[in-house]
Amino acid sequence: MSESPASLNPAQLEAVHHLNGPCLVLAGAGSGKTRVITHKIARLLQAGHEPARIAAITFTNKAAAEMRERAKALIGPRAAKHLVVSTFHSLGVRLLRAEGARLGLKEQFSILDSDDVLSVLKDAGGSNDNALARRWQWAISLWKNQGLASGDVQPANDDERVAQRVMARYEERLAAFQAVDFDDLIVLPKKLLERDAEARAKWQDQLRYLLVDEYQDTNTIQYELLKLLAGDAGQFTAVGDDDQSIYGWRGATIDNLKRLSADYPRLKVIPLEQNYRSTGHILRAANAVIAHNPKLFEKKLWSAFGDGEPVRVLECDGEEHEAERAVAFIQARRGQGGACAFRDFAVLYRANHQARVFEKALRKASIPYKVSGGQSFFDRAEIRDLCAWLRLLVNHDDDPAFLRAVTTPKRGIGHQTLASLGEFASKWKTSLYEALFAESLGTTISSRAIGSLHEFGRFVNDLEYRARHTEGAEDAKALLLGWLMDIGYEQHLLDGEDSEKLAAARWGNVLDFVDWIAKRCGGEIENDGGLTVESEKKSVLEVAQTISVIVSLAERGDEQDVVTLSTLHAAKGLEWPHVLLAGVNEGLLPFKSEDEEMTAQRLEEERRLMYVGITRARETLAVSTLRRRKRGRDTVQGIPSRFIGEMKLHEVQAKEDPRAKLKALREAAAARAAQAAPTSP
């Protein structure tokens, strides 16, 4: 074993050694839950359990892969090879492949992905409206995860009545196609084990001990499946945290924690309260916030790392100012002489739309970043289209860029022509672009198709020449807008979208991209303090050469030294030394739309989301709030979130560190100085 049980604290050891009967490990944020699960696997093996009869179940493939690797390091590859380490859905596939005949499924049944489901639903509902079909898909998924078939649903309104009728037809089509969807991978195994005593006994014997990670994220149907697998003996360990239950919107229910206690009276509850991630000030702020929620089980995090730096609150005039302060927060910390890398920083927010202004500020400051839980600016289809064209200007051997450019927008060059061009290029070991001009291409492709290809090639050559010799912001902008007009890109967006409003938004992204390139051609670069400094003017082609590097950083963010921009939901399970929680305002966090009622249940989940955000930080935490914020097209007064007051920052820090205020003032002065100091681009 690479890690001995001596490295575990007393609560972790208690959880590892409790083998007889049901066990709930309340694993607070950063309390070492994966270590407990892997050590418990080792302890089960020592107690005589066979590896193949131990199942560790989690929610994502990434988490399952990490758990398997850590188990392998602890128990060795031979034993780890036979463990069942999987997601809920992978376990469902395994069970259905073995037992599908009992449910009338053929051995090689199909599993429909989300797009397949959408297509079947549009057919079942007699509609070509994607948005409507997605609403049906969402409603049907929620019903299935509550254990409901179409005949069990009690519609609350006309929309639900329509969705119920569509669900009934959808069920008929799935049966006819011998297909299942993602939700069925849990629903059908549960149905089978519930109705078939022989199958139930077989799988309870096959999986003698269950370890369930992130238990608080289970929904109704997943809990029922776990109960059927565990049986009356209840040989399982559920590891979770009621304070981190943040997926109610997709069917997860904290009630499963209550049901566990009721269904298993012998349940052993073991809280893990020692945090191995964060400093004292951060944990006290987290504890103070979550204390406002009703408690199923008492738990308070503590750390041996000392107080650390006080949590800072940044008051910002608006979204742009907030993004500038985020950049200053990063640059000031990096400028203090420590070993901070960009990957040490995260900006976390409640909703995807908040990312855009931070992306813009980071791009202006030439700070590399990635976007998690949402779509990066460079991930948008329209920006990828234009990047492909620019990459082709820089490198004619870039075949993926060629294929995207030649087909976007469409120019009468079909798939068969491109397939023939590909065969020719492969035969003569040349790039697709170079193959365009080969004299012998006429032996493979018709003269009409060659004419279209040559027209495209001449256009690219001409554009490259102009891009090479065009510099300065105004001339670059004129060139780029002329290019977009020549290829008809705005019309391409209008033709490709059902909604004119959505097409206009995508065209707005294109214009932002043009401005971004033009500023760099003009030598205008905005540094971390918001000051504009001049550098050498560049040609459009020189700026295009940097784009592939930026796109590569966005795509390979996990491996690169980049700042993380993330929604709070996507940040769960992750951690960074330095975290900025952005937009902590009423209406944003807690989130509330104008026509929505803030129920007590919703508020509690939003508070848990704030708690998750706070506990992502290891060393420093800043919380920013807006004096004015955008709501649709309007600008409204910003009200600081109630959660900021609930953190009790002034009360806690004044009591426990009399010098905290002076220290915070000095830090703020240092940050302002760093903002004002010009840096090289």
Side-chain angles (χ1 to χ4, degrees), residues 22-40:
C23 179
L24 172 62
V25 179
L26 285 174
S31 63
K33 67 181 177 66
T34 306
R35 186 190 304 175
V36 167
I37 292 173
T38 52
H39 274 82
K40 189 148 192 175

Side-chain angles (χ1 to χ4, degrees), residues 201-255:
K202 173 185 171 182
W203 282 88
Q204 287 176 356
D205 181 63
Q206 195 160 320
L207 301 177
R208 292 284 185 86
Y209 200 96
L210 303 174
L211 299 114
V212 186
D213 191 20
E214 303 289 6
Y215 175 76
Q216 77 282 346
D217 294 336
T218 55
N219 58 35
T220 300
I221 204 75
Q222 286 163 341
Y223 176 71
E224 294 294 339
L225 177 61
L226 288 170
K227 271 184 65 182
L228 289 163
L229 287 169
D232 295 334
Q235 290 293 82
F236 67 82
T237 295
V239 182
D241 182 6
D242 50 336
D243 292 333
Q244 295 187 77
S245 179
I246 59 173
Y247 294 115
W249 52 276
R250 69 181 189 197
T253 172
I254 201 169
D255 286 342

Side-chain angles (χ1 to χ4, degrees), residues 117-156:
V117 169
L118 200 67
S119 177
V120 177
L121 284 174
K122 286 195 291 186
D123 176 63
S127 172
N128 289 318
D129 187 334
N130 280 335
L132 178 60
R134 289 203 185 281
R135 289 199 294 275
W136 292 337
Q137 187 175 14
W138 184 251
I140 291 168
S141 179
L142 282 177
W143 287 331
K144 282 192 171 191
N145 283 296
Q146 292 167 9
L148 302 176
S150 59
D152 304 319
V153 173
Q154 299 294 323

Side-chain angles (χ1 to χ4, degrees), residues 16-308:
V16 165
H17 286 284
H18 184 83
L19 303 184
N20 295 315
C23 179
L24 172 62
V25 179
L26 285 174
S31 63
K33 67 181 177 66
T34 306
R35 186 190 304 175
V36 167
I37 292 173
T38 52
H39 274 82
K40 189 148 192 175
I41 290 170
R43 180 70 189 90
L44 287 164
L45 294 177
Q46 290 173 355
H49 286 259
E50 297 174 32
R53 294 189 170 186
I54 300 171
I57 306 169
T58 187
F59 278 83
T60 66
N61 289 322
K62 183 178 179 182
E66 180 191 350
M67 193 176 293
R68 182 176 290 282
E69 286 305 307
R70 290 180 66 170
K72 185 192 296 184
L74 195 61
I75 65 177
R78 180 177 297 180
K81 179 182 178 182
H82 299 287
L83 288 173
V84 179
V85 182
S86 74
T87 64
F88 275 95
H89 293 90
S90 296
L91 182 62
V93 171
R94 177 176 178 160
L95 199 150
L96 287 179
R97 291 294 183 204
E99 311 291 347
R102 296 174 184 261
L103 290 165
L105 286 173
K106 64 182 181 183
E107 188 175 347
Q108 295 303 318
F109 59 84
S110 300
I111 301 173
L112 304 186
D113 64 21
S114 181
D115 289 339
D116 294 331
V117 169
L118 200 67
S119 177
V120 177
L121 284 174
K122 286 195 291 186
D123 176 63
S127 172
N128 289 318
D129 187 334
N130 280 335
L132 178 60
R134 289 203 185 281
R135 289 199 294 275
W136 292 337
Q137 187 175 14
W138 184 251
I140 291 168
S141 179
L142 282 177
W143 287 331
K144 282 192 171 191
N145 283 296
Q146 292 167 9
L148 302 176
S150 59
D152 304 319
V153 173
Q154 299 294 323
N157 51 49
D158 288 342
D159 288 342
E160 288 193 1
R161 272 186 279 278
V162 172
Q164 182 193 30
R165 288 196 294 271
V166 172
M167 184 179 184
R169 297 186 201 119
Y170 173 64
E171 289 168 344
E172 292 171 359
R173 283 162 173 74
L174 286 183
F177 298 158
Q178 281 285 295
V180 300
D181 63 21
F182 203 56
D183 297 318
D184 288 328
L185 299 178
I186 309 297
V187 172
L188 293 179
K190 180 256 183 183
K191 181 188 292 186
L192 171 69
L193 298 186
E194 202 168 45
R195 298 178 181 179
D196 192 320
E198 183 182 349
R200 185 167 64 248
K202 173 185 171 182
W203 282 88
Q204 287 176 356
D205 181 63
Q206 195 160 320
L207 301 177
R208 292 284 185 86
Y209 200 96
L210 303 174
L211 299 114
V212 186
D213 191 20
E214 303 289 6
Y215 175 76
Q216 77 282 346
D217 294 336
T218 55
N219 58 35
T220 300
I221 204 75
Q222 286 163 341
Y223 176 71
E224 294 294 339
L225 177 61
L226 288 170
K227 271 184 65 182
L228 289 163
L229 287 169
D232 295 334
Q235 290 293 82
F236 67 82
T237 295
V239 182
D241 182 6
D242 50 336
D243 292 333
Q244 295 187 77
S245 179
I246 59 173
Y247 294 115
W249 52 276
R250 69 181 189 197
T253 172
I254 201 169
D255 286 342
N256 284 350
L257 283 160
K258 300 175 186 174
R259 293 181 66 186
L260 202 61
S261 301
D263 291 342
Y264 295 95
R266 293 175 51 235
L267 181 72
K268 176 74 171 177
V269 179
I270 303 171
L272 303 184
E273 298 176 299
Q274 183 173 358
N275 175 282
Y276 293 92
R277 176 186 300 160
S278 306
T279 60
H281 277 308
I282 293 169
L283 293 181
R284 282 190 286 274
N287 288 333
V289 166
I290 206 64
H292 288 77
N293 273 3
K295 288 285 186 181
L296 288 172
F297 305 98
E298 283 301 322
K299 178 177 82 292
K300 184 174 280 191
L301 296 180
W302 62 275
S303 165
F305 293 151
D307 282 349

Side-chain angles (χ1 to χ4, degrees), residues 401-431:
F402 171 86
L403 287 170
R404 187 154 190 158
V406 79
T407 56
T408 311
K410 294 187 184 304
R411 54 185 62 251
I413 299 173
H415 293 297
Q416 188 55 54
T417 297
L418 293 174
S420 299
L421 180 66
E423 290 173 9
F424 181 90
S426 177
K427 178 180 178 180
W428 296 103
K429 295 180 172 54
T430 184
S431 71

Side-chain angles (χ1 to χ4, degrees), residues 614-641:
I614 294 170
T615 53
R616 299 311 93 195
R618 298 209 300 259
E619 298 172 22
T620 67
L621 174 66
V623 178
S624 65
T625 183
L626 306 169
R627 295 189 184 96
R628 290 180 296 277
R629 70 179 186 89
K630 291 175 183 173
R631 190 168 65 195
R633 296 184 178 181
D634 300 325
T635 298
V636 299
Q637 181 183 358
I639 302 172
S641 170

